Amino acid sequence: MLLIEADGKALFAEHGIAIPAGHVVTAGDVIAPPADTGPWMVKAQVPVGGRGKAGGVRRCGSPDEVADAVRGMLGGRLKGHAVEACLIEQVAGGAERYLSLMVDPPTYGVRVIYLTEGGVNVEHGDGADRSGRTCAPELAAIVATLNGLLAHEAEAIRAQVADVGRKLAEMLLVRELALAEINPLFVGEAGCVAGDAKVVVDLNAVDRQPRIAELIAARPSIYLDANRKLAEGFDYVELDPEGEIGLVTTGAGLSMMLIDEMTARGMKPLNFCDVRSSQLRGSPQRLVRVLEWITSRPSLRVVLVNIFAGITDLGEFAALLAAAVDASPNLRVPVVARLVGRGAADARRILAEKRPDIAMEEDLHAALDRIAAVLA
Ligand code: GDP
Ligand code: MN
């Protein structure tokens, strides 16, 4: 999961990587520049790259301009995300470099990329001299690689970048990150300063990473999906806040396939989820939670429950589903259940008895046709 820049920079600072002086403002805060000498950057804090090109990064010459920029961004949307926080910081200067360390699962290594031409075009793949290297995640190896790549640099600059590289590598390993990227990394006379932070944390490692858990918990709405996962123990990802079809599904691959199928038919799924039907342990609670999250979206028009049962008994599942719908008074849209596999006949009988309003299908396309009829 991608952290917002301000949180990534907080981790940088904790690992000794210099960042510009600055602070975060949210709605209702007094807007003041971080120090009395400008200019300043105002940057929308949304967990997505390419903010510069989308109008989420502004250079401001006066405190009034800072206030204007913040007011213009807060409460708006950027690249599909609500802007709930802005970072105000002093402008950093120097040459723009790109430095990135990314875990490379197939080789159990770390991909190191250093570019002397950093900036907003790198993310789009049109950076000038992109050089990728894979090496074992030993700090010495990473530093050696960086030194090799930087052979043409002046000695002093080389030492500075190597120092940031070493600190970034240590951060990647100590915090168990998937990605730590600095673009731009400003390299000037006074040393290196991280102009941006792209830090991807591994949610599966959060149990061992109290600091990451703390950063996530501190922003319940920006990291909504991650907070849900940590609290409830299963995956739920909102795909489209204006989606119309709420999904209660199991199996990551199957759920993704279902979403592709719906998108191909021009439908708008709201969420991805994996309720892990085999782990409900006789309680409808997890299903109630999902229905709660889905129904909180005004655009919701229909719910599709899609369970392909191997271990799960569909009779038991149908009883839990009926109980969950009973316990969800806010659910005011039709529910279509596509239940296929072990115990499907029992499930049909139980739903007919307890919740005859839930339409059950075993065939996927029949279920999607029912969805289409509701949406028509
Ligand atoms: P991104 O587009 O989401 O990656 O946002 P960035 O934080 O990388 O900002 C986009 C661009 O704005 C950078 O590539 C820089 O060119 C510029 N920029 C950002 N911060 C600073 C800064 O402190 N000083 C200067 N001179 N430029 C900056
Ligand atoms: Mn950037």
Side-chain angles (χ1 to χ4, degrees), residues 120-166:
V120 291
N121 290 325
V122 170
E123 280 100 342
H124 300 270
D126 45 1
D129 59 347
R130 177 176 283 259
S131 338
R133 296 277 174 94
T134 301
C135 60
E138 270 118 27
L139 304 185
I142 287 172
V143 171
T145 304
L146 284 175
N147 280 335
L149 287 172
L150 287 168
H152 61 289
E153 299 280 302
E155 195 64 38
I157 300 282
R158 194 163 83 190
Q160 283 162 357
V161 176
D163 182 55
V164 172
R166 187 176 50 73

Side-chain angles (χ1 to χ4, degrees), residues 244-245 267 300-303 332-336 359 367-376:
E244 296 178 338
I245 307 162
M267 296 173 168
L300 181 76
R301 293 177 63 197
V302 59
V303 172
R332 296 180 206 284
V333 301
V335 176
V336 175
L368 292 181
D369 287 344
R370 274 191 191 268
I371 302 275
V374 173
L375 296 174

Side-chain angles (χ1 to χ4, degrees), residues 107-110 135-142 169 172-173:
T107 60
Y108 299 104
V110 174
C135 60
E138 270 118 27
L139 304 185
I142 287 172
L172 185 90
L173 298 177

Side-chain angles (χ1 to χ4, degrees), residues 9-10 31-32 61 73-74 90 94 104 143 162 191 216 226 252 273 300 302 335 343 347 359 364 373:
K9 281 182 168 168
I31 304 165
M73 288 183 201
L74 274 187
Q90 282 187 305
D104 185 52
V143 171
I216 292 171
C273 81
L300 181 76
V302 59
V335 176
L364 176 62

